[in-house]
Amino acid sequence: MTTRASSNAAFPPTEPIPVMVGKTTWRTSFAPLAVRNFRLFTISNVIAMSGTQMQRIAQDWLVLTLSHSATAVGVTVFMQFTPMLIFGLHGGLIVDRYSKRTLLMLTQGTVGVLSTLLAVLALTHTIQIWQVWTIAFLVGLVTVIDNPTRQVFVGELVGTQHLRNAVSLNASVFQLGGLIGPAVAGVLLSTVGAGWAFAINAVTCVITVLTLAALGKTGLARARGGVRIKGQLRQGFAYVMAKPAIKWSLVMGAILAIFTLPTAVILTAYAHDVFMVGASGYGLFNTLIAAGAFAGAILSTRRRRVRLRTVVIMGGVWGVLQAAAAIMPGEIGFCATLVAVGIANLLFITAANSLVQLSSNVAIRGRVMSFYVLVLVGGQAIGGPVMGWIVSTGGPEIGLAVSGLVPAVAALLICLVLARRHSIRFATPGIEEPNT
């Protein structure tokens, strides 16, 4: 990939990235699974992501039942994602400096301990909202390191040749967990309560740690550790702003994170107040989104080119579909639209993730991905309370409409800005990046 001439010479240039050309086959789409380390990591991720999604559903519903307030659910989202908003960029520095495998073992072990504590409090019926919020905040602190580490670690597992397909497969795994976790959580919440969902997540964290320990060290394409020098965060920010493909992907991601991603606030209200389907219905809504997202992630492995226009347009389509869900006259239409929302969600996420990673040099990729995670995760810290207030004052339908229309309009404006500048060019055979 070419780099901009105006980029500061101190920035490492983007290294050439192998780009798929010719006919795309299912064999090439799933080629990363031939790598033993990635295969083991993927299997453990299916289990871990199922537990994570299970705990998320149980946590949100527990807060709703304790408070009977969508605003309280929004505060839960705020507590979990605020650490990323405040400390997210420092997480990228840590990722660039230390072993990714070791970092993941530490973060997953810590989440396992926190999940165990949450399980004990819930199973002994001593749980209070402030305790859920506190543990959510602590899990958020761990996510500051865990999330960007996971993004970069995929590259170490498969190298650059299979990186794009590995990113899509990794997203597929996340959504497969989103299929399994909410469905199981809905059953557990309706039968034995939230405590067992937290306990199961603690077990999945142990499995992840053991799997990471079993990975073959010789099969890891390790990046050289970063050197501690002043101005690294500033350098990372300047690098992001100097590359339009990264900058505009993050702008679109930030808008979606604030308005569209805090679905927990909206869907709990829909399950509780609109369709009155309870915890099992809430789990079903999340499962339907995950089903669509899983299909979208599989489809994304067939994508031959990663383009900035794809990222922006898919973000707009995601917003339009989410707004359309708000005017569905019945539960069946609403559920069908949620599946479509999930497909658009993952087509955007995988396109943005791939473009940002492939547009950044490996020496600075940890910091770049920390910006990426900051806007997607940290943005929800702002969006959670905002959407909670909108839902509480205007109702779930208004909240859902706003959550889709704002990103849709933003995508249109970004497209107009890029078109007005006549700035689209092909930087490589597979990646499109605008000039300035």
Side-chain angles (χ1 to χ4, degrees):
M1 181 194 299
T2 59
T3 54
R4 296 178 54 205
S6 59
S7 296
N8 190 306
F11 300 154
T14 306
E15 296 175 346
I17 302 292
V19 177
M20 184 181 299
V21 294
K23 185 178 179 180
T24 303
T25 66
W26 286 112
R27 175 174 292 184
T28 56
S29 296
F30 290 92
L33 291 175
V35 180
R36 177 183 178 275
N37 280 346
F38 183 75
R39 187 166 61 250
L40 288 175
F41 185 69
T42 299
I43 293 171
S44 70
N45 256 359
V46 172
I47 299 171
M49 291 302 104
S50 297
T52 297
Q53 295 300 316
M54 188 187 311
Q55 175 157 317
R56 181 181 64 82
I57 298 298
Q59 174 183 272
D60 295 339
W61 193 258
L62 177 61
V63 169
L64 184 66
T65 55
L66 290 174
S67 66
H68 304 286
S69 168
T71 302
V73 179
V75 173
T76 308
V77 175
F78 174 80
M79 295 300 290
Q80 184 155 342
F81 296 138
T82 293
M84 181 61 70
L85 190 63
I86 299 174
F87 305 111
L89 299 182
H90 296 280
L93 291 177
I94 295 173
V95 173
D96 280 339
R97 290 172 181 168
Y98 301 104
S99 164
K100 282 65 172 177
R101 187 178 73 149
T102 301
L103 288 176
L104 285 176
M105 292 175 70
L106 291 173
T107 57
Q108 286 301 293
T110 303
V111 172
V113 172
L114 293 172
S115 298
T116 300
L117 176 59
L118 200 56
V120 171
L121 290 172
L123 291 173
T124 57
H125 304 289
T126 58
I127 192 76
Q128 298 180 42
I129 291 180
W130 71 266
Q131 294 169 331
V132 179
W133 287 344
T134 301
I135 293 176
F137 182 81
L138 294 175
V139 170
L141 283 175
V142 176
T143 304
V144 169
I145 299 174
D146 185 90
N147 213 316
T149 304
R150 284 184 179 277
Q151 305 289 342
V152 179
F153 191 54
V154 170
E156 290 196 3
L157 291 170
V158 300
T160 57
Q161 181 180 0
H162 299 302
L163 179 59
R164 184 173 61 81
N165 284 334
V167 168
S168 295
L169 288 173
N170 203 44
S172 302
V173 166
F174 181 84
Q175 296 309 322
L176 183 58
L179 276 171
I180 300 170
V184 176
V187 173
L188 292 175
L189 289 170
S190 301
T191 54
V192 295
W196 286 106
F198 304 142
I200 292 173
N201 187 47
V203 174
T204 65
C205 290
V206 174
I207 294 174
T208 301
V209 172
L210 294 176
T211 302
L212 288 166
L215 295 181
K217 295 182 180 180
T218 57
L220 297 178
R222 292 183 177 177
R224 185 176 59 183
V227 180
R228 297 187 182 186
I229 58 175
K230 290 184 178 181
Q232 285 183 305
L233 285 179
R234 185 169 59 252
Q235 182 192 48
F237 179 74
Y239 187 88
V240 166
M241 297 304 293
K243 297 185 72 70
I246 300 177
K247 179 178 69 176
W248 288 109
S249 295
L250 296 190
V251 169
M252 193 69 238
I255 296 168
L256 287 162
I258 293 173
F259 292 97
T260 312
L261 278 175
T263 52
V265 179
I266 301 170
L267 293 183
T268 52
Y270 261 86
H272 191 268
D273 301 323
V274 178
F275 296 120
M276 293 175 285
V277 290
S280 59
Y282 177 50
L284 173 63
F285 294 158
N286 282 274
T287 298
L288 290 172
I289 291 178
F294 180 67
I298 294 296
L299 289 173
S300 70
T301 65
R302 307 283 290 172
R303 184 186 286 133
R304 293 175 57 188
R305 293 181 177 178
V306 183
R307 301 178 176 181
L308 177 58
R309 68 179 66 172
T310 303
V311 173
V312 177
I313 291 173
M314 285 313 307
V317 171
W318 179 6
V320 169
L321 289 171
Q322 191 141 317
I327 59 175
M328 289 295 109
E331 189 175 350
I332 294 178
F334 179 76
C335 289
T337 309
L338 290 182
V339 176
V341 166
I343 294 174
N345 175 324
L346 247 291
L347 288 176
F348 168 81
I349 293 294
T350 54
N353 191 314
S354 297
L355 186 60
V356 171
Q357 287 216 49
L358 295 175
S359 299
S360 57
N361 182 272
V362 67
I364 203 171
R365 190 171 293 159
R367 276 165 283 172
V368 172
M369 293 310 295
S370 71
F371 279 98
Y372 174 79
V373 174
L374 173 66
V375 300
L376 285 185
V377 178
Q380 295 177 66
I382 300 172
V386 170
M387 295 310 302
W389 177 80
I390 293 175
V391 169
S392 296
T393 56
E397 294 89 348
I398 296 297
L400 188 58
V402 170
S403 74
L405 289 176
V406 173
V409 172
L412 177 61
L413 292 176
I414 292 173
C415 286
L416 290 175
V417 169
L418 293 176
R420 187 174 182 180
R421 291 180 179 178
H422 301 285
S423 59
I424 300 297
R425 70 183 176 88
F426 287 97
T428 71
I431 298 176
E432 194 174 75
E433 187 178 65
N435 287 319
T436 57

